[in-house]
Amino acid sequence: MKGVSILGSTGSIGCQALDVVSRYPERFFVTALAAGKNWRLLSEQAARFRPELVSVAAEKDARLLEDSLPEGYKPEIHWGEEGLMAVAACAGAGVVLTAVTGTAGLLPTVAAIKAGKDIALANKETLVAAGEPVTKLAFDKGVNILPVDSEHSAIWQCLSGRIPVSLARRATGQSGGDAGGLTGICSREVGNIILTASGGPFRREPEDLSGVTVEMALAHPNWQMGKKITIDSATLMNKGLEVIEAHWLFGVEYSRIRVLVHPQSIIHSMVEFVDGSVLAQLGLPDMRLPIQYALGYPERLSNDLPRINWFDLRALTFQAPDYSRFPLLRLAFQAGEAGGTMPAALNAANEVAVEAFLNRKINFSSIYGIVSRVVENHRLISGPDLEEILAADLESRREARKYAGLT
């Protein structure tokens, strides 16, 4: 049996991960759970799965959580950043699912890697902000980084047993080295990685995106996700972040990463090989599939989840992304190419701008304006360490709050 710790257990990915775990009681058990403010749902999860350790964001919620647990069940209860670290490094876990939103997931993920835990990565911001030091640390520790995002899971599966660069040490027996180096199978056999995007709710209309409301932006046509990632999908920033993450996971240059709008969300991504052959991974838009693949690795487990009804598929369509309509996607490519602390600045500014939009402080179109100003003014540091990345993140948040009129 494999122990699973979950950072962000009460969010969309965390809840679906627990559904996956519940389907395989003979294979998985829950060792630790971390949530934010939703101590009530965490209490229900803890009562069902009986982890040895649980954590919430605030001390007052930890006390409420403790009082709500069933009689006779006494897990360790933590809170705050220390609690996230404790869940990440919990001794019984074989794999840590990092599903918290934003760069809040960076340091706990690093803690899990240092503790020798495999990472099921649903927190793309970790590799966006700190791809170089995180992949190098994972490489040095012999830790697997298993992608959970449906697009990156699709690429991984299309590589047919070949694994992301971050897994190379375990496969080859090497030690040390440049985990982010553009070497190995991707550089020899892969021509292009093709990430598909639904296009979000505004692929066609309304024409004037400045009038988009929060409710309109949250109405994603295909996926049920958390609020932040749903807004990112509406701006296509989510796809831009995935481009940067794919660069670090698979060791592919940005010039060989493509984005293709596929409104049906049936093809989750594709790999075009150097001989012109293309492999695609297809499935219904259900995040339990990539979660299960990551948790069950190296096995592919059977399940009773819904299947594609091929006779109901009328068409699979594709189109190029409209960079003028969704300029954040182009900006993400540019930040990734610049490297260093630039992706961290991009991500931090976007987190602040999206939060401001969700709180109705700015309009939808202002998200790009804020992020682009922060990126334009950012003083890039090449080859940064974690401390420099976190400093860049903090400074970019200050700048974004200023541009959003929040200070």
Side-chain angles (χ1 to χ4, degrees):
M1 292 183 70
K2 183 185 294 184
V4 179
S5 290
I6 301 177
L7 298 164
S9 68
T10 58
S12 175
I13 295 295
C15 288
Q16 291 178 83
L18 287 172
D19 179 74
V20 169
V21 168
S22 71
R23 293 168 181 268
Y24 303 95
E26 75 288 355
R27 290 183 176 272
F28 304 118
F29 65 97
V30 177
T31 56
L33 298 173
K37 298 178 181 179
N38 195 348
W39 63 268
R40 289 183 176 85
L41 179 54
L42 179 59
S43 176
E44 295 174 13
Q45 294 173 340
R48 179 181 181 186
F49 292 96
R50 301 296 174 110
E52 63 187 71
L53 190 154
V54 292
S55 177
V56 287
E59 183 177 2
K60 63 180 179 61
D61 292 333
R63 302 306 175 204
L64 293 169
L65 173 65
E66 183 176 22
D67 292 341
S68 71
L69 294 174
E71 185 176 352
Y73 169 51
K74 299 293 182 182
E76 289 185 43
I77 299 178
H78 299 255
W79 60 86
E81 185 174 320
E82 180 273 334
L84 285 173
M85 299 297 187
V87 170
C90 184
V95 61
V96 176
L97 173 65
T98 59
V100 293
T101 302
T103 50
L106 173 56
L107 290 180
T109 302
V110 168
I113 293 172
K114 288 181 176 178
K117 311 297 182 183
D118 284 346
I119 306 298
L121 188 65
N123 171 263
K124 60 177 62 65
E125 293 86 356
T126 289
L127 292 186
V128 169
E132 185 171 4
V134 168
T135 52
K136 185 178 188 305
L137 178 65
F139 189 84
D140 290 342
K141 293 289 185 180
V143 163
N144 293 336
I145 297 182
L146 310 169
V148 169
D149 275 347
S150 62
E151 295 81 1
H152 302 105
S153 178
I155 298 301
W156 179 23
Q157 293 178 61
C158 286
L159 293 176
S160 189
R162 297 183 172 101
I163 50 182
V165 170
S166 52
L167 307 182
R169 182 185 183 190
R170 199 166 280 185
T172 64
Q174 298 174 27
S175 61
D178 178 12
L182 303 180
T183 58
I185 191 66
C186 284
S187 65
R188 295 195 305 273
E189 295 187 11
V190 173
N192 294 293
I193 282 177
I194 303 169
L195 301 175
T196 57
S198 70
F202 310 128
R203 180 172 57 89
R204 291 180 175 171
E205 53 184 333
E207 289 297 327
D208 182 10
L209 295 180
S210 63
V212 166
T213 66
V214 171
E215 290 75 19
M216 293 165 64
L218 289 174
H220 196 283
N222 297 343
W223 295 94
Q224 295 296 318
M225 304 176 292
K227 290 183 178 181
K228 195 269 181 180
I229 192 173
T230 303
I231 301 301
D232 282 346
S233 295
T235 65
L236 287 196
M237 173 60 100
N238 191 51
K239 205 55 50 179
L241 300 179
E242 288 173 6
V243 166
I244 299 172
E245 184 181 10
H247 166 77
W248 291 110
L249 276 173
F250 302 108
V252 174
E253 302 99 325
Y254 288 100
S255 61
R256 294 196 286 132
I257 302 174
R258 307 276 193 266
V259 172
L260 191 62
V261 175
H262 169 52
Q264 294 81 23
S265 295
I266 295 297
I267 295 178
H268 297 299
S269 278
M270 296 177 274
V271 174
E272 180 184 51
F273 292 91
V274 292
D275 62 357
S277 299
V278 178
L279 294 183
Q281 188 265 332
L282 287 71
L284 293 177
D286 187 334
M287 281 304 299
R288 290 175 295 180
L289 292 174
I291 291 169
Q292 177 185 303
Y293 190 73
L295 295 184
Y297 176 81
E299 294 183 71
R300 186 183 290 272
L301 307 177
S302 64
N303 61 43
D304 59 358
L305 296 177
R307 265 52 173 173
I308 294 174
N309 185 331
W310 298 102
F311 303 105
D312 284 347
L313 285 182
R314 298 184 181 276
L316 298 178
T317 61
F318 309 93
Q319 64 190 71
D322 186 342
Y323 288 99
S324 62
R325 189 171 175 78
F326 301 103
L328 280 169
L329 177 56
R330 186 183 302 279
L331 189 64
F333 268 101
Q334 294 168 345
E337 291 276 13
T341 53
M342 193 64 77
L346 172 93
N347 178 71
N350 182 65
E351 287 188 26
V352 171
V354 168
E355 184 178 7
F357 172 69
L358 286 170
N359 291 329
R360 306 175 197 274
K361 301 296 185 182
I362 62 172
N363 66 33
F364 185 79
S365 296
S366 294
I367 296 174
Y368 170 72
I370 291 167
V371 177
S372 62
R373 287 183 69 182
V374 170
V375 167
E376 181 180 353
N377 295 329
H378 179 65
R379 298 179 65 179
L380 184 146
I381 299 173
S382 298
D385 58 23
L386 279 176
E387 185 176 341
E388 290 169 322
I389 288 168
L390 292 172
D393 175 272
L394 184 60
E395 178 58 28
S396 298
R397 289 175 191 277
R398 290 196 192 103
E399 289 292 300
R401 282 193 287 269
K402 180 178 70 175
Y403 297 143
L406 301 179
T407 56

